[in-house]
């Protein structure tokens, strides 16, 4: 059973699929602020806008490809969560930004998928962007998606690259009226969405830990030539995760310390999210140290095996030294060697060589050389 699990994990090494930019960043050098250029992977998904409009007693869900259908239903007396999928449609992002008077730099950052997680606050809204990570169940690769949130007095807008996400638990709680999510303000919804995204990071680190455990067993039992390449691979993946999570920690710290649209009774929930990020970071640092120790373990294992081989060869050579000497003496072509013409000479010499080998073996064994 252990072997089958090991083989499965070895054959499905997690990778962060780096999105290949469709253009070079230098091509947009000098562009005016607010120029919307989608930097992610090209997709043919049809943009979809979903509105969750709710209060403690009622919830109404509306989905449409037409922004006007959504804007028509907005109610400032209720909480309005607008989710915009497929941000490759920069015209749609521009329309949403114009209606809600979003800052030009905010709209630019929404479609800039290369951007690290960050947080900014403006007069009537705040903006936070981060990475949504998930594991592909078929390929076991880590998929990374750029997601942004804009929080206003009565609305929360989320922008995603694709329709597929990890926000299902929040939607279920909204529709089932479970917990406090329907009883609190729109800022609590922002907390809930950030919380489910960051909690999903645990899935990444836990599976990563399983792969490292398999790699450790392989290092001890049978370190192959591909071990160094796999260690380097894992280190690169951790570097990518660090780029994703460390800026998020600073963004959350600023969000909690500055006066924003977040209510005071909701700040403590963001503190919980912040502690989750710290836990993920500590886990990654531990795994990073583990990888460093793996390289030392690999070199130590190779040295130990080499020492064993050299010791075995040395023992064999030492045993055969007196035998080689005797064979060399009687291999000389002299006519007057008295033992050459005696019947007992051959078995006597062979016996002498055998006894010499046994004596050498017993001596080295008594000195615990092996």
């Amino acid at each position: 059973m252990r072997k089958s699990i090991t083989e499965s994990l070895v054959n499905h090494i997690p990778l962060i699929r780096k999105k290949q930019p469709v253009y070079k960043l230098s091509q947009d050098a000098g562009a005016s602020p607010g120029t919307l250029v989608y930097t992610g992977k090209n997709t043919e998904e049809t943009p979809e806008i979903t509105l969750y409009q709710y209060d403690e007693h009622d919830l109404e869900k509306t989905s449409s490809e037409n922004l006007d259908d959504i804007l028509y239903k907005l109610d400032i007396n209720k909480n309005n969560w607008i989710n915009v999928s497929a941000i490759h449609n920069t015209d749609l992002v521009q329309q949403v930004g114009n209606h809600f008077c979003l800052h030009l730099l905010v709209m630019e950052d929404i479609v800039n998928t290369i951007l690290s997680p960050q947080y900014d606050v403006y007069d009537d809204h705040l903006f936070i962007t981060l990475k949504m990570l998930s594991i592909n169940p078929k390929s076991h690769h880590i998929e990374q998606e750029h997601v942004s949130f804009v929080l206003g007095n009565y609305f929360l807008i989320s922008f995603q690259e694709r329709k597929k996400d990890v926000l299902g638990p929040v939607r279920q709680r909204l529709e089932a009226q479970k917990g406090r999510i329907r009883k609190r303000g729109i800022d609590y919804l922002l907390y809930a969405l950030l919380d489910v995204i960051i909690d999903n990071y645990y899935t990444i680190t836990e599976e990563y830990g399983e792969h490292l455990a398999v790699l450790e067993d392989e290092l001890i039992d049978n370190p192959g030539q591909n071990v160094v390449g796999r260690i380097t691979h894992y280190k690169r993946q951790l570097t990518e995760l660090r780029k994703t999570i460390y800026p998020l920690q600073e963004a959350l710290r600023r969000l909690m310390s500055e006066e924003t649209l977040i209510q005071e009774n909701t700040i403590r929930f963001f503190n919980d999210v912040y502690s989750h990020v710290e836990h993920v970071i500590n886990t990654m640092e531990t795994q990073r140290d583990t990888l460093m120790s793996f390289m030392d373990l690999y070199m130590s294992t190779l040295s130990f095996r080499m020492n064993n081989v050299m010791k075995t060869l040395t023992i064999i050579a030492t045993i055969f030294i007196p035998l080689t000497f005797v064979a060399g003496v009687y291999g000389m072509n002299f006519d007057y060697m008295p033992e050459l013409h005696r019947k007992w000479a051959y078995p006597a010499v062979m016996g002498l060589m055998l006894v010499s080998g046994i004596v050498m073996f017993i001596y080295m064994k008594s000195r615990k050389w092996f």
Side-chain angles (χ1 to χ4, degrees):
M1 181 65 178
R2 174 66 175 173
K3 183 178 179 180
S4 63
I5 295 177
T6 301
E7 292 175 349
S8 175
L9 289 175
V10 169
N11 293 331
H12 296 95
I13 300 176
L15 297 171
I16 287 187
R17 290 181 172 180
K18 298 181 180 179
K19 294 180 174 58
Q20 298 297 328
V22 297
Y23 75 109
K24 294 183 178 180
L25 292 176
S26 57
Q27 294 177 353
D28 291 317
S32 61
T35 301
L36 303 189
V37 179
Y38 177 64
T39 60
K41 185 178 180 180
N42 286 330
T43 177
E44 297 181 355
E45 280 191 356
T46 303
E48 182 181 73
I49 312 170
T50 304
L51 170 64
Y52 283 88
Q53 192 173 75
Y54 67 93
D55 56 20
E56 183 177 355
H57 305 289
D58 301 310
L59 179 139
E60 181 180 358
K61 178 182 176 182
T62 305
S63 296
S64 177
E65 297 178 9
N66 190 344
L67 178 61
D68 293 333
D69 295 339
I70 301 298
L71 299 179
Y72 177 76
K73 288 182 171 292
L74 290 180
D75 186 350
I76 62 174
N77 297 317
K78 292 185 177 181
N79 296 319
N80 300 271
W81 173 26
I82 305 171
N83 184 67
V84 180
S85 300
I87 59 174
H88 63 277
N89 189 327
T90 56
D91 291 336
L92 177 59
V93 176
Q94 184 79 55
Q95 294 174 24
V96 175
N98 291 340
H99 178 83
F100 289 96
C101 300
L102 302 184
H103 197 279
L104 292 176
L105 296 179
V106 170
M107 291 188 286
E108 181 181 347
D109 293 341
I110 288 173
V111 296
N112 184 5
T113 60
I114 304 176
L115 187 69
S116 298
Q118 69 175 41
Y119 162 81
D120 291 301
V121 60
Y122 299 89
D123 294 336
D124 56 352
H125 61 270
L126 64 82
F127 170 74
I128 184 170
T129 182
L130 68 159
K131 303 300 180 182
M132 186 185 301
L133 304 180
S134 61
I135 297 180
N136 189 306
K138 295 182 179 180
S139 64
H140 293 263
H141 290 166
I142 297 177
E143 297 181 344
Q144 187 177 116
E145 179 182 351
H146 185 72
V147 58
S148 305
F149 296 99
V150 177
L151 178 68
N153 290 313
Y154 64 94
F155 64 86
L156 173 66
I157 311 174
S158 55
F159 296 89
Q160 301 177 204
E161 290 187 68
R162 300 181 295 272
K163 297 177 183 178
K164 183 181 178 181
D165 56 33
V166 299
L167 306 180
V170 177
R171 296 188 180 97
Q172 293 174 5
R173 286 158 56 191
L174 274 174
E175 295 172 358
Q177 199 174 359
K178 291 183 178 180
R180 58 177 66 89
I181 192 169
R182 292 266 293 272
K183 300 177 182 179
R184 290 182 172 268
I186 195 68
D187 57 338
Y188 185 86
L189 177 62
L190 174 61
Y191 149 74
L193 295 172
L194 293 178
D195 183 59
V196 72
I197 291 174
I198 294 171
D199 282 351
N200 198 63
Y201 291 175
Y202 289 131
T203 305
I204 309 299
T205 56
E206 287 172 0
E207 180 156 332
Y208 203 88
E210 292 177 0
H211 285 280
L212 294 186
V214 171
L215 181 58
E216 183 177 19
D217 293 340
E218 187 177 348
L219 276 171
I220 296 174
D221 297 335
N222 185 27
Q225 296 181 352
N226 65 336
V227 169
V228 175
R230 290 170 60 193
I231 292 176
T232 303
H233 162 78
Y234 285 124
K235 289 174 65 176
R236 289 175 179 172
Q237 303 315 304
L238 273 181
T239 300
E240 293 294 330
L241 288 176
R242 283 161 57 89
K243 291 179 181 178
T244 298
I245 298 178
Y246 266 103
L248 178 59
Q249 183 184 34
E250 175 62 19
L252 289 173
R253 186 194 63 78
R254 288 184 54 202
L255 185 148
M256 294 183 298
S257 61
E258 298 178 1
E259 293 186 5
T260 62
L261 297 171
I262 306 298
Q263 301 297 320
E264 185 176 353
N265 59 357
T266 310
I267 288 294
R268 62 175 177 268
F269 294 103
F270 282 92
N271 280 325
D272 181 65
V273 174
Y274 185 84
S275 66
H276 291 178
V277 173
E278 283 188 326
H279 182 271
V280 172
I281 289 176
N282 292 335
T283 303
M284 286 194 310
E285 290 299 328
T286 300
Q287 292 174 344
R288 190 167 182 266
D289 294 340
T290 301
L291 281 173
M292 298 298 293
S293 66
F294 279 0
M295 184 60 74
D296 295 337
L297 177 62
Y298 174 72
M299 299 304 297
S300 299
T301 303
L302 288 184
S303 298
F304 178 75
R305 292 193 171 195
M306 182 61 68
N307 289 338
N308 282 338
V309 171
M310 295 302 298
K311 182 172 67 174
T312 302
L313 294 176
T314 301
I315 291 172
I316 294 174
T318 303
I319 292 176
F320 275 87
I321 285 176
L323 308 184
T324 304
F325 173 75
V326 174
V329 169
Y330 285 95
M332 294 184 295
N333 297 320
F334 292 122
D335 291 334
Y336 301 102
M337 295 185 69
E339 294 86 359
L340 291 178
H341 303 288
R342 300 187 182 276
K343 296 181 179 180
W344 49 263
Y346 176 74
V349 172
M350 295 301 294
L352 175 64
M353 296 172 67
L354 178 61
V355 170
S356 299
I358 293 174
V359 170
M360 291 296 298
F361 178 83
I362 295 175
Y363 175 76
M364 287 186 289
K365 188 72 173 180
S366 65
R367 298 298 298 268
K368 297 181 180 181
W369 289 357
F370 61 91

